[in-house]
Amino acid sequence: MDLAERKSSLLPEFLYSHRGSSPAVGGMASYGGGAAASSSFSSMYQRSTTASGSVGKAPGFMIPAASEGKIKMFSPEYYRACAFGGTLCCGLTHMAVTPIDVVKCNMQIAPEKYRSIAGGFSLVVKEQGPTGLFRGWAPTLLGYSVQGACKYGFYEYFKKTYSDMVGAENAKTYKTLIYLAGSASAEVIADIGLCPFEAVKVRVQTQPGFAKGLTDGFPKIIANEGVGGLYKGLVPLWARQIPYTMMKFATFESTVEAIYKYVVPVPKSECSKSTQLGVSFSAGYIAGVACAIISHPADNLVSFLNNAKGATVSQAVNQMGMRALFTRGLPLRIIMIGTLTGAQWGIYDAFKVFVGLPTTGGVAPEEPKQD
């Protein structure tokens, strides 16, 4: 059964499709997996298979292409593809900005020593050599790969599930609430996987000599503080990441819709894939700036608690002060998170295009005119 035959899904078409979609019976928009949504995808798949002359499977590749008819929308394979795309986009981008993260964390922990961005980079290189800027790259890569898989895979799952729960009409009316609820639910799970790696990363980056990296950092924390030492930053991590992710996904989805509606002069269906990926990056960067601002106080707390043994949240707030809590290291984090989030959405949607899936977001179909 191909995509055009999957008419039972209740996920609103506008979450994945574009302004040019045909309305369903009764004047309501068709829903994800339905015939109208599938027709726009099917034409792309047909062009792809015609150009190649045959439909084949890339040998050894773990995610089969949707254009080969192997990935059904909202099937287990679909969610696995989204999770794999999340692994790529989060793990690689966070590892790439490790030098910025090293300086940011040190500015948060020791502001009297690391007083500026440029000075922070110079000081790390002076004291630890150029390799000091890449301390913690392994827990960063692995931790955010795990987080990315859960974040993007479960977001797609919860977005579909909550849409089905509230029904088609409510899903369309309250789409932003679905974005927020879906992303929050996904992040709760994702942070459980991330937290141990984050604990090791912060120690390695801010305490020279504590450990060389992941392999000796994990057992050292467990030996000194028990397994609970790996999770003592979980609540602050949730406080940082859940608002961050809610802002990230809801702002991204809304920004993509606004760009296609007000900026791009043609419907999404008529845009090239490179244009669509450019929209994804631009919307991701805008979402990243908003994320950095709203989650920055909790980011300061995560850095402080993972660096200070036995410290509590109230002690951290009292020692840092409210102004420092909201502003310390913020400019650097805006640069880091804006670039990071833009790149993540670009990579994620590029992977979806690679396996034949539609890019994320679009424009809600216009209501049909009454005769």
Side-chain angles (χ1 to χ4, degrees):
M1 181 170 62
D2 62 23
L3 289 177
E5 296 170 337
R6 297 175 60 85
K7 300 182 180 180
S8 60
S9 173
L10 291 178
L11 187 65
E13 177 192 6
F14 62 78
L15 295 182
Y16 291 94
S17 192
H18 53 78
R19 183 165 41 199
S21 301
S22 301
V25 176
M28 292 180 60
S30 61
Y31 292 92
S38 301
S39 62
S40 61
F41 305 153
S42 299
S43 61
M44 179 181 71
Y45 303 154
Q46 291 167 0
R47 288 195 300 270
S48 174
T49 56
T50 300
S52 62
S54 63
V55 178
K57 181 177 180 181
F61 190 64
M62 64 180 296
I63 304 294
S67 57
E68 298 171 3
K70 299 297 184 180
I71 296 181
K72 307 298 184 184
M73 291 295 291
F74 316 122
S75 66
E77 290 76 16
Y78 170 78
Y79 295 122
R80 282 198 291 270
C82 293
F84 189 77
T87 296
L88 292 177
C89 74
C90 286
L92 295 177
T93 53
H94 276 276
M95 184 183 69
V97 298
T98 296
I100 300 177
D101 194 34
V102 168
V103 175
K104 174 189 71 70
C105 287
N106 279 285
M107 289 179 69
Q108 291 172 330
I109 298 303
E112 69 286 347
K113 182 177 180 181
Y114 297 87
R115 298 181 178 180
S116 67
I117 296 174
F121 277 98
S122 299
L123 190 55
V124 170
V125 172
K126 180 180 178 181
E127 293 185 346
Q128 305 175 38
T131 57
L133 292 172
F134 294 92
R135 293 179 64 87
W137 70 267
T140 297
L141 173 62
L142 294 178
Y144 282 94
S145 292
V146 171
Q147 186 220 31
C150 294
K151 176 185 293 190
Y152 282 85
F154 278 110
Y155 171 68
E156 299 283 0
Y157 171 78
F158 284 121
K159 185 166 66 169
K160 170 70 166 64
T161 300
Y162 294 157
S163 295
D164 286 347
M165 288 172 60
V166 301
E169 192 67 26
N170 286 330
K172 179 179 178 181
T173 302
Y174 302 107
K175 57 185 177 179
T176 300
L177 292 179
I178 290 175
Y179 301 149
L180 293 171
S183 57
S185 300
E187 191 61 38
V188 169
I189 300 171
D191 288 345
I192 295 174
L194 170 64
C195 193
F197 297 95
E198 185 77 359
V200 176
K201 177 187 79 72
V202 171
R203 301 286 184 91
V204 170
Q205 290 178 342
T206 60
Q207 297 179 13
F210 172 79
K212 294 181 180 179
L214 189 65
T215 55
D216 56 341
F218 259 122
K220 191 167 186 178
I221 291 178
I222 294 174
N224 293 338
E225 305 173 40
V227 175
L230 295 172
Y231 285 94
K232 73 176 186 177
L234 180 58
V235 173
L237 188 63
W238 275 333
R240 180 188 80 184
Q241 289 297 133
I242 292 176
Y244 167 90
T245 300
M246 292 171 71
M247 180 69 72
K248 172 181 179 177
F249 282 85
T251 302
F252 172 82
E253 298 263 17
S254 298
T255 303
V256 168
E257 182 174 329
I259 290 175
Y260 282 119
K261 187 174 183 180
Y262 299 110
V263 179
V264 178
V266 296
K268 179 180 177 180
S269 59
E270 298 177 18
C271 295
S272 65
K273 288 294 180 267
S274 60
T275 298
Q276 292 184 33
L277 293 176
V279 170
S280 294
F281 176 82
S282 300
Y285 199 99
I286 293 170
V289 173
C291 292
I293 294 172
I294 196 172
S295 64
H296 191 66
D299 184 61
N300 271 318
L301 289 177
V302 169
S303 296
F304 188 97
L305 292 174
N306 280 319
N307 189 66
K309 184 177 180 178
T312 65
V313 172
S314 60
Q315 290 172 340
V317 173
N318 289 335
Q319 184 168 332
M320 294 182 67
M322 293 302 295
R323 180 177 180 180
L325 187 67
F326 280 84
T327 61
R328 183 180 293 172
L330 180 58
L332 189 58
R333 190 158 188 266
I334 287 176
I335 295 172
M336 183 182 82
I337 298 300
T339 304
L340 194 75
T341 308
Q344 283 178 0
W345 280 111
I347 293 171
Y348 178 66
D349 273 352
F351 178 78
K352 290 175 74 175
V353 167
F354 176 73
V355 297
L357 294 170
T359 57
T360 311
V363 177
E366 297 174 352
E367 293 295 332
K369 296 181 179 179
Q370 300 295 329
D371 293 330

